[in-house]
Structure formats: C-alpha cells, structure tokens
Amino acid sequence: MVKERSRLTARDCGAFAGFPGLLRRRPVASPPAHACLLATALVLLGAAGGLRAAPFVPTDDAQVLERLPWRAGDAAARDLASLRAAAASASAPLAAAVQLADRHFDLALERGDPRHAGYAEAALARANGERTAEWLTLRGALRQYRHDFDGALQDFEAALAKDPGHAQAHAWRGAVHLVQADTTRARQECEALRRLDRPALAGACEGLALAYSGQLDAGTRALEQALSAASSAAQRSWLLTRLAEVAAWQGRAQQAEARYRAALAMGVESVYLRTAWADFLLDTGRPEAVLQELAGQEAADSLLLRLAEAGAVLKRPEAERWRRTLQDRYAAARARGDTTHRAEEARFELRLRGSPPTALRLAQENYAVQREPRDARILLESAVAAGQRAAAQPAIDWLQRSGFEDRRMRELAGLTATPAPSTGSSPGHSAR
Amino acid sequence: MTPATLPWHALWRWLALCSLVVGQLWALPALAHKASDSYLALRIQGSEVTGQWDIALRDIEVALGLDADGDGEIRWGELRARHSALATWALAALALDRGGRCTLQVSGHAVDEHTDGAYAVLQLSGSCPAGAGDLTVDYRLLAEVDTLHRGLLKLTLDSADHVAVLVPGQAAPAFAAAPPAPLESFTSFLVQGVWHIWIGFDHILFLVALLLPAVFERRARRWVGVARFGQAAREVIAVVTAFTLAHSITLSLAALEWVSLPSRWVESAIAASVVVAAANNLRPLIGGRRWMVAFGFGLIHGFGFASVLSELGLPPSSLAWGLAGFNIGVELGQLAIVLVFLPLAFALRHTGLYRHVIFTGGSWAAMILAAAWFTQRAFDLSW
C-alpha cells in the first residue's frame, strides 16, 4: 500500500511554499485546500520517519479527510440523483437504468474516473426487463472499456440482432475491430453506417480503417469529409485530433500542428486530445511545451506519463517525483489484476526506467490484444532497445503488409525504403 | 488507470451527444483516477482472527452517504457519526469460514491515505469454529454498486501467506492452510520421475542396450542395417511399450505396498538385466523377441523405481497423484532418451562407427560395467 501520493501533495501546497527544502518550484495550479490540510497532517505525522504514514485517528471532528468530486447541490449531482431515483424502484423501466448507466459512463470518460464505469455496469446489471439494443450496446461499450473485447463483440452482435439499424452498435463494433487491426471487418461496419445515412460516423470509421491499413492519403480525405458532415464541436474536435495524428504519421508536422491547434481551440475537454498533442510535441522535440501545456494535470495517468517524459528530458527536479508517482499507480493497477495500461507502462519502462526487457514483455502482451499504430510503435521501440528486433515481428509484418508510412516506425523496423503505393502487390522492403 | 483505447471513448462521447447535453465541466483538480479497491489484511492463527480493512471514503459515501452537510467534503466528525453503520455494512459483505462461519467484529476505527485518497480503516477481530483446515473468504463489498470494485487480500493463514484479488459476487475462494494441493504434488513428482530416469544410469543402460540393435536386423547370423526407418521405429515402440507397461505395474504394486521385495535382490537383478541385454547383442540368443526381455526385466525395474519413490516420501493425502506424476515423469524422461537415440542410430546404422564402436564396443562396455555392479550388489561388496 503506497503512501507516495499524500506526501507529494504536501510538497505542492501553496502553504509550504516557504518551507525550506520541501518545495523547489512553485506549482502553476495549487491543489485544493483539503489536500493541503490532509497533507499537513501527514507531513507532521511522517516528519520524523520515512513519511510512510500509518493509520491514524484524527483528533478534530472538523478535520477534512476527503473532498468529493461532486457536491450535493451541483447540477450534475442533482441530475445523477434524479436518474438514480428513477432507476431505483423495482418497477422502473429498463430504459431508466440505461439512462443512469449512460450518464455514469459519460462521467467516467469526461473525468477519466473508472469508478463511474463500474457504477454504470452495476446500474445495467440491476435493471429488470427484456434487454434492449441500447442496453446491450452500452454494456458492450463498458466491456470494451475494460478491454473485454470478445464480450463486447458479443454484446454488439446481440444488439444488432435486436435492431439491425443500431448505428452505435455498428460504430462500436467497428472501433473494436480497428483496435485489433482487423480492418476488413471494420470496413463492413463503416459500410453499414454509410447505409444508415450517418455520414460523419461512416467517414470517421472509413478514414481510420484506411489509415490503419496504410492508405493515409485516402484516410485523410475520408476524415475530412466526415469533418464537413460533423454537426457538433465535440465531433469536430475528435476528427481534427485524428486528422492531426494521420498528418504526423505522414511526416507533415506543420499540418499536424495546425490541426491539433484547431482541435484545442474548440475548447472541448478531452484527455485523449491532450495526450496526442503532448506526444506530438515530444516527437517534435519540444518537451518545454509539454510542461507548459500539461502543467498541473497529473490526475490522468496518460498525461502524467507525458509530463514525466518531458521532465526527464529537461532534467527537471519534479521529474523524479512524477516517475515515482507513476510507478506507484501502475503497481496499484497491477495489484488489482488490471491489464489495461500495459502499452503505457511499456513506454514508462522504456523511457523512464530504462528497462527495455520489461518494456518489451509488456508491449508484447499488449500487442496480443491491441494492435493500433501506437501499439505497434511501442512494440518496435522496446524490441529494438532490447536488441531483439525479431520480437516485434507481428508489428513489422503489419508495416510491410500495409505499407504504413510512418518514417520513425519504418526505420525501427529496418524498412527504410519508401513504401510502394499500397496496391497490395509489393510492399517496399529494402533490407533484402 | 488509463485504458489505452481512449480515442474510442471519445467516439462514444460524440455518439452519446445525440441525446445528452454536455454537462459543465468541473474544474476540480481531482486525486489520481483509479478504479475502486479495498485493502483487506487478515491474520488467522488457529481459530483467532485479526485484521485490518481499508475502504475508500468515496466508496462509503456512495453506499452509505457520509457527507451529511452536503458541502462536498468529508470530515472526521461526519465519518465518526457513521462508524456503527459502516461496521454493519462492511461486516455484512465479508464472510470467513473455517470449520464453519467465523465471528467478526470491528474493534477499532482509524483513517489512512492511499494513492487515490483517504480510506476508513476498520480493525477486525474474531474467531473461527476450527483451528485448522482451509479458509474460505466470501467477499461481496459494493457488489451491487460498482462492478469494477476489487478487494486486495493479504492473508496469513497459520504459517502460509496468500495474496488474492477478490471479485465481489464470485465464488468464495478457499485458501489452504499448509499441505500441498494434489496438482502440486503431481507436478513435483513428475519432475522427480524425469530426473530419476536421467540420473538412474542402470535404467538408461538397460533401455539403450535393448535399443542398440533396433536399427539392425538379423540375416544369416549377421547384423544388417534395416532398410526403412519404420522397421526400427516398430522395434523401438515394442520394446519401450513392454518396458513401460511392466515397470508401471510393479511400481504401482510396490508403491501401494501390496508387494514388496528386498532391495538388494532387486538392485542385483537390475544389474543382471543389463548384462543379459548387452550379452544378447554380442551373441544373440533371444532372437527377435527383445520385447519379452523388456517386459520381464521391466517388472524388476519397477521395484527399483518404487524404492526411490518411497525415499521421496509419497504424502498419503495425495498418494494417487504423486504416483501418477512420478510414473508419467519416468515415461517422459524415457521418451526424451528414445527421441534422441533413434534418429541418431538410424542415421549411423551403416557406418563402422555405429557397428563396431557404439554397438559392439558399447555392448561390451555395458556388459562389463553391469557385471561389476552385479557382483558388488549381490555380494554386498564395497570398494
């Protein structure tokens, strides 16, 4: 059981700004008051020893132990409470449970807080009545969230058996196939979305299916078409993010940057967008910008990893503390049997702990389940660093087969020639 | 926890936007995001139970409600006021069983801090009906509320340590106090079986002496290399099967203590079996019925294996598993030898090296060595 976090919170508190030796650099954003109170208590408790707090009995009833991420009076909390009440009675319709679960899942994604995903699944499990396509699709999406891809596909299939025109089930199924690099099956879902007259979804689906099979120009065109059909800021932000990624794979840094900036300017909150943007900045050699853009955003593991990488490159004093915090969090996830973070942990092992063999093992385990371009990249990087390029053979095969043109990845794979246009006849391979 | 399929979660969001208005984003700098865990440390010595259970305040808030004044902050006073409700709720979600249901009480309350926030600490004590035997842990905390919740168990059961991830609502896992599970004894005896055939030089020598002529056939009182691999393989299979069958029978009879023979007699007969097998290569008497020799002497070798097994100490609780494991291990070890021997011998069968050095020279050497063993064992000489 790790106590690292409490001690670190203490270091960041404004109240400790003048405490000699404790705070080396004033943080941009101060943590909430409760953290300081708690941290104060813990620092005082642990001041003598190794700061590994033991259970303690507070003496003051007014002492704040925890600050909840909601307040009873919040609009969102009231919203949630009324949904919960509607779903609570034994005679409540299934749709009420689906609505409650839907809201929880939304909160899980908005805040990156997995507890809400657990609440969502439990709300679905409690529901009575015949399972609808909506119920099945939502459960499938939640299973996908915890990487139970087979279970998710079963749910989407059952949903589509009930309602063949359920666009969300098609879109999710396409997403799972893409995660597993099964572009043929994914394309079938894109076509279904096209038939259902959902141009934005269909374009997004097709664009990524094309991009993942190496046809980056065609993929860009499809994503651009989806962008012009998109109706909301959130849709446009997401599509711009993916377009930026495709441009970066093609080595068009200026275009990628313009698209990332356009997506950021829309102001739609997305951990994914900030993660991808930080990766782009790291890849283009701008770690200072990462520290600026992500300052204070340590709650989400993926953002903390980028901060830690940038901090390590720049030899910042906080880097070591970020590194240890991440290590504790990965250990905590491992302790509960959670394997959803393996690709990220591989990157951590490779870039921050300097342990290529461990990174390679994690990247291989991840690649057995997830095979998107970023998964291929970490597998290649780890294998090359560990001096076992052959261990990345599945990723090299994919690069050769698809002609995926990311220069960095092709160099790692030992495929230095520009790929032939992906007509399927002769993927470029200069090594032999 | 940051699931790595984030882009797809974003996709979900804009699918969901069709029906939902985006709620305003709270700008709360939250603590680390992590799925819900509780930490359960149990120490069971005989029938006495002590332990500590850390449960996140956020989880207690969802299940019981702690934030009485609705200000979004949980204070020590608010938690203290709910201590008895907390104890009742938690104990209803945990059942320990050792020879019957154990009693459990919460003997103290405290607070602790983990990577993702503050936890209530419940000190546990209790007692079980039995002071020995397996312990089952039935864990149901938050089963109806959060499907991703897990209980991280650290258990000391008498002298055995266990760790486990408890999944609410799943079949209660049982933890063994000490003696190894059948599977464990099966595997450990399997390894012993393989090891014994590899270091048991007399068994290997007997087998090899019988297999050396397998790549030959007898024509006009001379050994001639066989034409096809199939011929040699058939002979090898016949010999190995007969040997296996025979020693399995006597190994089982002896291990179950239904038959027993004096070990000096058995060891001498094993040495004699090597002499006979090797001599038959040099001056064939038995003809093509080597499998009968394999079977007959295999019965003796089985008693030899049994004496090793009894030295290893078969646990009475898993006698059958240990015996099966040891026997299968012997067969696997034997099979490995055959798989190396046969292709090599077949490839070399027409060469002078095989015919004169390996076959004739080897048989002489085996016979002399085994004759020395025989003398030593039969007359109990030590030199």
Side-chain angles (χ1 to χ4, degrees):
Chain A
M1 293 169 214
V2 197
K3 309 290 184 242
E4 200 57 46
R5 176 108 186 133
S6 49
R7 160 185 168 197
L8 303 170
T9 317
R11 289 195 178 192
D12 282 354
C13 288
F16 280 83
F19 203 85
L22 253 176
L23 192 75
R24 293 186 196 157
R25 180 174 164 271
R26 207 185 171 93
V28 180
S30 287
H34 83 281
C36 294
L37 263 172
L38 191 60
T40 308
L42 289 164
V43 164
L44 293 176
L45 266 167
L51 283 163
R52 253 167 206 265
F56 64 98
V57 181
T59 47
D60 181 2
D61 273 357
Q63 182 175 339
V64 174
L65 304 175
E66 179 73 287
R67 189 174 181 210
L68 300 169
W70 64 84
R71 245 174 246 146
D74 278 342
R78 277 203 311 272
D79 180 25
L80 209 51
S82 73
L83 286 172
R84 205 179 283 133
S89 76
S91 60
L94 187 90
V98 173
Q99 251 192 317
L100 173 62
D102 197 84
R103 186 76 192 110
H104 273 303
F105 193 23
D106 208 35
L107 285 169
L109 304 180
E110 210 167 86
R111 301 172 175 182
D113 182 349
R115 273 187 168 90
H116 280 289
Y119 302 155
E121 239 186 315
L124 288 182
R126 285 196 305 265
N128 301 309
E130 201 196 323
R131 291 165 177 186
T132 58
E134 283 72 26
W135 189 99
L136 287 160
T137 306
L138 183 50
R139 193 181 67 175
L142 285 160
R143 284 178 157 178
Q144 175 291 148
Y145 179 87
R146 54 181 164 85
H147 291 196
D148 173 10
F149 296 122
D150 293 339
L153 289 174
Q154 279 168 20
D155 279 345
F156 301 140
E157 181 154 1
L160 289 167
K162 285 195 183 287
D163 176 8
H166 203 279
Q168 295 190 2
H170 278 300
W172 269 116
R173 193 153 74 170
V176 171
H177 288 321
L178 281 175
V179 168
Q180 302 193 315
D182 188 346
T183 45
T184 315
R185 287 220 174 91
R187 298 284 281 271
Q188 290 167 3
E189 304 305 321
C190 309
E191 282 161 28
L193 289 166
R194 185 66 72 193
R195 280 197 301 277
L196 291 168
D197 198 23
R198 301 291 292 263
L201 269 182
C205 179
E206 281 155 9
L208 290 172
L210 285 164
Y212 285 13
S213 47
Q215 302 174 51
L216 296 178
D217 281 325
T220 300
R221 282 194 298 276
L223 287 170
E224 279 168 346
Q225 276 168 17
L227 186 62
S228 63
S231 57
S232 72
Q235 293 183 355
R236 280 196 291 277
S237 165
W238 189 83
L239 285 162
L240 282 167
T241 309
R242 305 315 308 260
L243 275 163
E245 283 179 285
V246 177
W249 290 329
Q250 289 180 299
R252 298 175 186 161
Q254 277 189 338
Q255 193 183 14
E257 176 154 358
R259 287 191 150 146
Y260 275 125
R261 289 196 182 281
L264 290 162
M266 309 201 68
V268 176
E269 194 56 31
S270 162
V271 172
Y272 182 69
L273 167 57
R274 279 178 288 155
T275 306
W277 171 232
D279 278 347
F280 175 75
L281 292 172
L282 286 169
D283 281 345
T284 48
R286 287 179 281 172
E288 300 88 351
V290 173
L291 293 185
Q292 242 167 31
E293 299 273 329
L294 299 185
Q297 301 183 28
E298 299 171 23
D301 295 351
S302 62
L303 298 180
L304 182 57
L305 175 62
R306 275 76 189 168
L307 271 174
E309 282 185 20
V313 172
L314 298 170
K315 302 201 168 29
R316 287 298 167 90
E318 307 92 311
E320 176 56 20
R321 151 169 101 63
W322 286 330
R323 197 184 67 80
R324 269 181 299 152
T325 307
L326 274 169
Q327 194 165 329
D328 291 346
R329 291 197 199 167
Y330 292 134
R334 246 197 326 273
R336 75 193 309 278
D338 185 344
T339 56
T340 55
H341 58 280
R342 283 183 296 210
E344 295 274 294
E345 200 181 348
R347 206 168 131 165
F348 173 77
E349 289 289 336
L350 182 65
R351 299 190 185 174
L352 292 169
R353 292 221 331 138
S355 172
T358 314
L360 178 57
R361 181 179 54 76
L362 289 164
Q364 281 178 310
E365 287 170 7
N366 175 63
Y367 205 73
V369 187
Q370 303 200 94
R371 290 181 283 276
E372 290 189 87
R374 75 175 64 77
D375 304 303
R377 177 168 164 187
I378 185 62
L379 178 58
L380 277 165
E381 286 179 349
S382 312
V384 169
Q388 300 180 46
R389 185 181 287 168
Q393 201 56 46
I396 297 173
D397 289 345
W398 166 72
L399 277 176
Q400 274 189 300
R401 210 169 43 238
S402 66
F404 192 82
E405 67 196 67
D406 183 86
R407 190 179 48 81
R408 189 177 285 104
M409 275 163 55
R410 299 194 75 81
E411 274 174 13
L412 284 167
L415 310 168
T416 42
T418 319
S422 42
T423 47
S425 53
S426 61
H429 190 288
S430 66
R432 279 163 222 172
Chain B
M1 185 183 79
T2 305
T5 48
L6 275 168
W8 305 108
H9 301 147
L11 174 69
W12 168 261
R13 272 187 68 184
W14 59 270
L15 282 164
L17 285 171
C18 313
S19 58
L20 281 166
V21 185
V22 198
Q24 89 274 23
L25 294 165
W26 295 279
L28 288 173
L31 287 163
H33 292 318
K34 183 174 144 303
S36 162
D37 293 318
S38 86
Y39 301 90
L40 178 61
L42 289 174
R43 187 176 180 80
I44 292 161
Q45 299 293 324
S47 60
E48 190 197 345
V49 181
T50 50
Q52 178 183 321
W53 195 359
D54 296 14
I55 305 173
L57 293 184
R58 276 195 61 185
D59 291 332
I60 301 169
E61 161 67 23
V62 169
L64 294 180
L66 288 174
D67 185 18
D69 59 5
D71 66 350
E73 290 177 334
I74 295 171
R75 290 162 202 280
W76 169 239
E78 289 172 326
L79 175 61
R80 219 163 47 83
R82 303 286 281 151
H83 269 163
S84 79
L86 170 60
T88 311
W89 170 71
L91 292 179
L94 178 66
L96 305 181
D97 204 292
R98 191 177 209 192
R101 173 70 74 86
C102 311
T103 61
L104 272 181
Q105 304 92 41
V106 173
S107 51
H109 287 275
V111 176
D112 200 0
E113 182 77 0
H114 290 273
T115 52
D116 63 335
Y119 281 59
V121 175
L122 283 67
Q123 266 116 28
L124 305 175
S125 61
S127 70
C128 296
D134 290 358
L135 178 86
T136 56
V137 181
D138 186 10
Y139 182 91
R140 295 184 306 276
L141 194 74
L142 294 164
E144 306 268 283
V145 176
D146 180 352
T147 55
L148 297 184
H149 173 80
R150 298 289 179 266
L152 306 188
L153 172 69
K154 265 189 182 168
L155 168 68
T156 303
L157 183 58
D158 301 332
S159 57
D161 290 323
H162 303 267
V163 291
V165 179
L166 303 170
V167 184
Q170 276 192 4
F175 300 93
L183 188 67
E184 283 169 45
S185 55
F186 178 82
T187 2
S188 80
F189 277 95
L190 185 107
V191 172
Q192 288 292 345
V194 173
W195 183 237
H196 182 68
I197 186 96
W198 285 350
I199 60 162
F201 197 48
D202 42 6
H203 306 300
I204 295 180
L205 210 56
F206 176 68
L207 195 62
V208 169
L210 283 178
L211 293 181
L212 279 174
V215 292
F216 291 145
E217 58 189 334
R218 201 74 182 153
R219 273 200 211 135
R221 301 172 57 80
R222 286 196 62 227
W223 291 112
V224 183
V226 293
R228 286 173 300 107
F229 187 73
Q231 274 173 277
R234 236 192 337 271
E235 174 68 17
V236 167
I237 289 168
V239 166
V240 170
T241 310
F243 183 58
T244 300
L245 209 64
H247 74 231
S248 299
I249 293 170
T250 44
L251 169 59
S252 306
L253 289 176
L256 298 171
E257 295 176 356
W258 291 350
V259 181
S260 100
L261 289 178
S263 98
R264 189 170 142 198
W265 195 94
V266 170
E267 295 301 313
S268 310
I270 287 174
S273 74
V274 180
V275 177
V276 172
N280 184 57
N281 292 345
L282 301 168
R283 177 94 15 134
L285 296 171
I286 305 155
R289 285 188 289 281
R290 274 188 301 273
W291 67 268
M292 287 170 63
V293 178
F295 188 88
F297 282 110
L299 292 171
I300 308 287
H301 282 254
F303 285 108
F305 293 133
S307 69
V308 175
L309 193 54
S310 74
E311 277 164 31
L312 291 172
L314 258 184
S317 59
S318 49
L319 184 102
W321 285 108
L323 178 59
F326 187 78
N327 206 352
I328 292 172
V330 168
E331 311 319 341
L332 288 178
Q334 198 174 282
L335 194 64
I337 295 167
V338 168
L339 287 179
V340 173
F341 167 83
L342 183 59
L344 272 178
F346 185 75
L348 298 173
R349 70 194 185 285
H350 294 306
T351 62
L353 172 72
Y354 188 80
R355 178 175 301 275
H356 302 299
V357 180
I358 299 178
F359 181 75
T360 311
S363 295
W364 271 110
M367 195 174 71
I368 293 166
L369 182 63
W373 282 338
F374 179 80
T375 333
Q376 180 191 9
R377 291 172 186 180
F379 304 106
D380 204 9
L381 302 174
S382 51
W383 41 11

